[in-house]
Coordinates of all heavy atoms in Angstrom, one line a residue:
E1 N 4.1 18.1 1.9 CA 4.9 17.8 0.7 C 4.5 16.4 0.2 O 4.6 15.5 1.0 CB 6.4 17.9 1.1 CG 7.3 18.0 -0.2 CD 7.6 16.7 -0.9 OE1 7.7 15.7 -0.2 OE2 7.6 16.7 -2.1
V2 N 4.1 16.3 -1.0 CA 3.5 15.1 -1.5 C 4.3 13.9 -1.4 O 3.8 12.8 -1.0 CB 2.9 15.2 -2.9 CG1 1.9 16.3 -3.0 CG2 4.1 15.5 -3.9
H3 N 5.6 14.0 -1.6 CA 6.5 12.8 -1.5 C 6.7 12.4 -0.1 O 6.6 11.2 0.2 CB 7.8 13.1 -2.2 CG 7.7 13.4 -3.7 ND1 7.7 14.7 -4.1 CD2 7.4 12.6 -4.7 CE1 7.6 14.6 -5.5 NE2 7.4 13.4 -5.8
A4 N 6.9 13.3 0.8 CA 7.1 12.9 2.2 C 5.7 12.4 2.8 O 5.7 11.4 3.5 CB 7.5 14.2 3.0
D5 N 4.7 13.1 2.5 CA 3.4 12.7 3.0 C 2.9 11.3 2.4 O 2.2 10.5 3.0 CB 2.3 13.7 2.8 CG 2.6 15.0 3.6 OD1 3.5 15.0 4.5 OD2 1.9 16.0 3.4
G6 N 3.3 11.1 1.1 CA 3.0 9.9 0.5 C 3.6 8.7 1.1 O 3.1 7.5 1.0
E7 N 4.7 8.8 1.9 CA 5.3 7.7 2.6 C 4.3 7.2 3.7 O 4.3 6.0 4.0 CB 6.6 8.1 3.3 CG 7.6 8.5 2.3 CD 8.9 9.0 2.9 OE1 9.1 8.9 4.2 OE2 9.7 9.6 2.2
I8 N 3.4 8.0 4.2 CA 2.4 7.6 5.2 C 1.4 6.6 4.5 O 1.1 5.5 4.9 CB 1.7 8.8 5.8 CG1 2.7 9.7 6.5 CG2 0.6 8.3 6.7 CD1 2.1 11.1 6.8
W9 N 0.9 7.1 3.4 CA -0.1 6.3 2.6 C 0.6 5.0 2.1 O 0.0 3.9 2.2 CB -0.6 7.1 1.4 CG -1.6 6.4 0.6 CD1 -1.5 5.8 -0.6 CD2 -3.0 6.3 1.0 NE1 -2.6 5.3 -1.0 CE2 -3.6 5.5 -0.1 CE3 -3.8 6.7 2.0 CZ2 -5.0 5.2 -0.1 CZ3 -5.1 6.3 2.1 CH2 -5.7 5.6 1.0
S10 N 1.8 5.1 1.5 CA 2.5 4.0 1.0 C 2.8 2.9 2.1 O 2.7 1.7 1.8 CB 3.8 4.4 0.4 OG 3.6 5.2 -0.7
R11 N 3.1 3.3 3.3 CA 3.3 2.3 4.3 C 2.0 1.6 4.6 O 2.0 0.4 4.8 CB 3.8 3.0 5.6 CG 3.8 2.1 6.8 CD 4.8 0.9 6.6 NE 4.7 0.0 7.7 CZ 5.4 0.0 8.8 NH1 6.3 0.9 9.0 NH2 5.2 -0.9 9.7
A12 N 0.9 2.3 4.6 CA -0.4 1.6 4.8 C -0.7 0.6 3.7 O -1.1 -0.5 4.0 CB -1.6 2.6 4.9
L13 N -0.4 1.0 2.5 CA -0.6 0.0 1.4 C 0.4 -1.2 1.5 O 0.0 -2.3 1.2 CB -0.4 0.8 0.0 CG -1.3 1.9 -0.3 CD1 -1.1 2.4 -1.7 CD2 -2.8 1.5 -0.1
L14 N 1.6 -0.9 1.9 CA 2.5 -2.0 2.1 C 2.0 -3.0 3.2 O 2.1 -4.2 3.1 CB 3.9 -1.5 2.5 CG 5.0 -2.5 2.9 CD1 5.3 -3.4 1.7 CD2 6.2 -1.9 3.4
D15 N 1.5 -2.4 4.3 CA 0.9 -3.2 5.3 C -0.3 -4.0 4.8 O -0.5 -5.2 5.2 CB 0.5 -2.4 6.5 CG 1.8 -1.8 7.2 OD1 2.9 -2.3 7.0 OD2 1.6 -0.9 8.1
I16 N -1.1 -3.4 4.0 CA -2.3 -4.1 3.4 C -1.8 -5.3 2.6 O -2.3 -6.4 2.7 CB -3.2 -3.2 2.6 CG1 -3.9 -2.2 3.5 CG2 -4.2 -3.9 1.7 CD1 -4.5 -1.0 2.8
R17 N -0.8 -5.0 1.8 CA -0.2 -6.1 0.9 C 0.4 -7.2 1.7 O 0.3 -8.4 1.4 CB 0.8 -5.5 0.0 CG 0.9 -6.2 -1.3 CD 1.7 -5.3 -2.3 NE 1.6 -5.8 -3.6 CZ 2.6 -6.3 -4.3 NH1 3.8 -6.4 -3.8 NH2 2.4 -6.7 -5.5
T18 N 1.0 -6.9 2.8 CA 1.6 -7.9 3.7 C 0.5 -8.7 4.4 O 0.7 -9.9 4.5 CB 2.5 -7.2 4.8 OG1 3.5 -6.5 4.1 CG2 3.1 -8.2 5.7
A19 N -0.5 -8.1 4.8 CA -1.6 -8.8 5.5 C -2.4 -9.7 4.5 O -2.8 -10.8 4.9 CB -2.5 -7.7 6.2
L20 N -2.7 -9.2 3.3 CA -3.6 -9.9 2.4 C -3.0 -10.6 1.3 O -3.6 -11.4 0.6 CB -4.6 -8.8 1.8 CG -5.4 -8.0 2.8 CD1 -6.3 -7.0 2.1 CD2 -6.3 -9.0 3.6
G21 N -1.7 -10.4 1.1 CA -1.1 -11.0 -0.1 C -1.2 -10.1 -1.3 O -2.1 -9.2 -1.4
R22 N -0.3 -10.3 -2.3 CA -0.3 -9.4 -3.5 C -1.6 -9.4 -4.3 O -2.1 -8.4 -4.6 CB 0.8 -9.9 -4.4 CG 2.2 -9.6 -3.9 CD 3.2 -10.0 -4.9 NE 3.0 -11.4 -5.3 CZ 3.9 -12.1 -6.0 NH1 5.0 -11.6 -6.3 NH2 3.7 -13.4 -6.3
R23 N -2.1 -10.6 -4.5 CA -3.3 -10.7 -5.4 C -4.5 -9.9 -4.9 O -5.1 -9.1 -5.6 CB -3.6 -12.1 -5.7 CG -4.7 -12.3 -6.7 CD -4.9 -13.8 -6.9 NE -6.0 -14.1 -7.8 CZ -5.9 -14.2 -9.1 NH1 -4.8 -14.1 -9.7 NH2 -7.0 -14.5 -9.9
V24 N -4.9 -10.2 -3.7 CA -6.1 -9.6 -3.1 C -5.8 -8.1 -2.8 O -6.6 -7.2 -3.2 CB -6.5 -10.3 -1.8 CG1 -7.5 -9.5 -1.0 CG2 -7.0 -11.7 -2.1
A25 N -4.6 -7.8 -2.2 CA -4.3 -6.4 -1.9 C -4.3 -5.5 -3.2 O -4.9 -4.4 -3.2 CB -3.0 -6.3 -1.2
D26 N -3.6 -6.0 -4.2 CA -3.5 -5.2 -5.4 C -4.8 -5.0 -6.1 O -5.1 -3.9 -6.6 CB -2.5 -5.9 -6.4 CG -1.1 -5.8 -6.0 OD1 -0.8 -5.2 -5.0 OD2 -0.2 -6.5 -6.6
R27 N -5.7 -6.0 -6.1 CA -7.0 -5.8 -6.6 C -7.8 -4.7 -5.9 O -8.5 -3.9 -6.4 CB -7.8 -7.1 -6.7 CG -7.2 -8.0 -7.7 CD -8.0 -9.3 -7.7 NE -7.5 -10.1 -8.9 CZ -8.1 -11.3 -9.2 NH1 -9.1 -11.7 -8.5 NH2 -7.6 -11.9 -10.3
V28 N -7.8 -4.8 -4.5 CA -8.5 -3.8 -3.7 C -7.9 -2.4 -4.0 O -8.7 -1.5 -4.2 CB -8.4 -4.2 -2.2 CG1 -8.9 -3.1 -1.4 CG2 -9.2 -5.5 -2.0
I29 N -6.6 -2.3 -3.9 CA -6.0 -1.0 -4.0 C -6.3 -0.3 -5.4 O -6.6 0.8 -5.4 CB -4.5 -1.1 -3.7 CG1 -4.3 -1.4 -2.2 CG2 -3.7 0.2 -4.1 CD1 -2.9 -2.0 -1.9

């Protein structure tokens, strides 16, 4: 189910943003 499964992907993106900061993470993503 796309919304439930999307939580997996979204958590990874949140962790990337936390590790790299908004500016770098958002540009990469």
Side-chain angles (χ1 to χ4, degrees):
E1 197 280 320
V2 296
H3 298 101
D5 293 350
E7 292 175 14
I8 301 162
W9 184 258
S10 296
R11 172 61 189 268
L13 299 184
L14 176 64
D15 291 345
I16 291 167
R17 210 167 193 248
T18 300
L20 301 176
R22 291 182 304 193
R23 185 177 176 92
V24 171
D26 290 354
R27 286 180 174 188
V28 168
I29 291 163

